[in-house]
Amino acid sequence: IDTSASDSDTDSAFDGTSTASTSLASSILNYEYSNGRRYHGYRSGSYVLPNDDEEQDRLDLLHHIFLLMLGGKLYDAPLPTPPSRVLDIGTGTGIWAIDFADENPGSEVLGTDLSPIQPTWVPPNCKFYIDDAESEWVFSGPKFDFIHCRGMSGSIGDWDALVAKAYDHVADGGAVEFQEPEAWVYSDDATIERASSLLQWQELCNEAAGKFGKELRIGASLKGRMERRGFVDVRETMIKVPIGPWPKDPHYKEIGRYQREHMAMGIEPYTFGFIGKVLGWSQDECRVITSKVVNEVRDKSLHLYIKFYFVSGRRP
């Protein structure tokens, strides 16, 4: 189904064959609005974060942080040859898929997402489909040589099922990689104990995610999930990402500067999405705790960080 529209907010290409991609044109563009933000209409309520320009800016900033962590690389998995077919699950703005397609003109890259927020002007070897990663996957053509999934914590109800689908749709010898930040803030010098609002906020977000049935703290479990499903050569890399430019190391200082901005942008949508929608807090209550948490995130005396997990494995 090609529902390309001229309005830049909705430009994308949809012609998926999945059961979840059938009667799309009306529902995907029928956005929902609340607390001044725009949300997806397709599979309404299955994802609590917005899809408006502000959120797209946050996702593109997060992409930049991932690139800084990996030294400019788009993935951590060892890929011996350029893969001929690549799938990007939960592609968001499509920036990862577009970059991969640009770097690998011989690869066919497919990106899937609930929101039609990807641009129309994309490399000829890149396509986007509106789809729900938790529905049955019905892709035509051969299996994928590489499947990439990033930042889907809080979006997936059954991670074992997602890992199994990735296993079933990757070719023999093909690779699957998950890149997941853990939604939990740490400090190694106890300065986090002074961030009382942040501590309360992350407890509330994770409580809400549990109630919603889509856990946020998933990164540390992915290695075991992949091994249980039958992946081989499973490797896990955990990187501590500072919030703010407090590290002495110039590389981590730069990452921390970007991560502080990314985190400050993310507090409001997570608050309204999880604490507001799921736990029933009012708009005013959400705005008050958002303001307090953002102030603590910007406090230069707090040496906070988040763990990012890069987990990859190969189908035998």
Side-chain angles (χ1 to χ4, degrees):
I1 303 164
D2 182 1
T3 60
S4 299
S6 57
D7 176 38
S8 63
D9 272 349
T10 58
D11 274 355
S12 192
F14 329 102
D15 57 342
T17 52
S18 157
T19 50
S21 303
T22 44
S23 59
L24 294 181
S26 57
S27 67
I28 52 177
L29 301 178
N30 187 18
Y31 294 130
E32 297 179 357
Y33 296 83
S34 66
N35 54 265
R37 302 298 297 266
R38 189 189 74 189
Y39 297 83
H40 70 99
Y42 176 56
R43 292 287 163 105
S44 175
S46 58
Y47 180 64
V48 300
L49 298 182
N51 68 1
D52 52 21
D53 289 348
E54 197 177 333
E55 177 68 1
Q56 291 175 46
D57 288 344
R58 181 184 77 82
L59 293 173
D60 286 349
L61 178 57
L62 180 59
H63 176 70
H64 183 63
I65 292 166
F66 273 108
L67 288 178
L68 286 173
M69 277 189 277
L70 293 178
K73 291 193 307 173
L74 290 164
Y75 54 89
D76 191 46
L79 299 182
T81 53
S84 57
R85 289 197 92 213
V86 178
L87 173 64
D88 185 28
I89 305 166
T91 194
T93 65
I95 191 168
W96 185 94
I98 291 167
D99 280 4
F100 194 97
D102 274 334
E103 285 183 18
N104 301 276
S107 302
E108 178 194 2
V109 185
L110 275 65
T112 64
D113 203 272
L114 284 172
S115 284
I117 55 174
Q118 304 79 31
T120 302
W121 293 94
V122 297
N125 56 327
C126 182
K127 286 190 173 73
F128 295 113
Y129 300 101
I130 303 310
D131 205 355
D132 183 347
E134 297 210 86
S135 297
E136 185 188 353
W137 292 8
V138 190
F139 293 106
S140 56
K143 289 187 174 182
F144 296 97
D145 304 294
F146 181 40
I147 297 178
H148 170 265
C149 181
R150 181 177 78 180
M152 293 288 277
S153 301
S155 314
I156 301 296
D158 188 342
W159 278 89
D160 286 330
L162 185 71
V163 169
K165 282 178 191 163
Y167 185 90
D168 293 343
H169 286 82
V170 75
D172 292 346
V176 173
E177 176 165 322
F178 294 95
Q179 302 179 352
E180 286 298 327
E182 188 187 30
W184 200 258
V185 181
Y186 299 87
S187 72
D188 289 337
D189 60 359
T191 51
I192 192 169
E193 289 168 19
R194 301 208 309 271
S196 57
S197 296
L198 175 57
L199 289 169
Q200 180 196 16
W201 178 81
Q202 66 182 12
E203 289 279 1
L204 288 167
C205 281
N206 281 277
E207 177 196 336
K211 200 171 172 182
F212 186 54
K214 299 189 175 181
E215 297 288 342
L216 284 167
R217 298 182 71 183
I218 211 74
S221 73
L222 289 169
K223 183 172 186 279
R225 292 176 194 271
M226 291 186 78
E227 287 170 341
R228 285 194 296 275
R229 184 60 190 88
F231 284 96
V232 295
D233 301 332
V234 180
R235 41 187 262 171
E236 174 191 89
T237 303
M238 189 276 286
I239 298 176
K240 292 181 178 181
V241 174
I243 302 168
W246 55 264
K248 290 190 175 70
D249 181 291
H251 174 64
Y252 283 100
K253 192 181 282 290
E254 182 188 13
I255 292 177
R257 195 172 282 117
Y258 284 114
Q259 176 61 15
R260 180 180 61 192
E261 295 314 308
H262 167 256
M263 183 112 179
M265 292 170 78
I267 302 293
E268 184 195 82
Y270 273 84
T271 303
F272 278 112
F274 285 103
I275 301 174
K277 284 185 178 176
V278 181
L279 299 185
W281 282 37
S282 71
Q283 277 202 32
D284 287 344
E285 288 171 321
C286 285
R287 292 198 193 285
V288 168
I289 195 168
T290 294
S291 174
K292 288 179 177 176
V293 176
V294 169
N295 284 340
E296 289 177 350
V297 163
R298 294 195 178 283
D299 185 338
K300 295 186 173 91
S301 72
L302 305 179
H303 303 146
L304 312 174
Y305 66 86
I306 286 179
K307 295 176 180 177
F308 278 65
Y309 287 86
F310 297 82
V311 187
S312 63
R314 198 169 51 78
R315 179 173 170 142

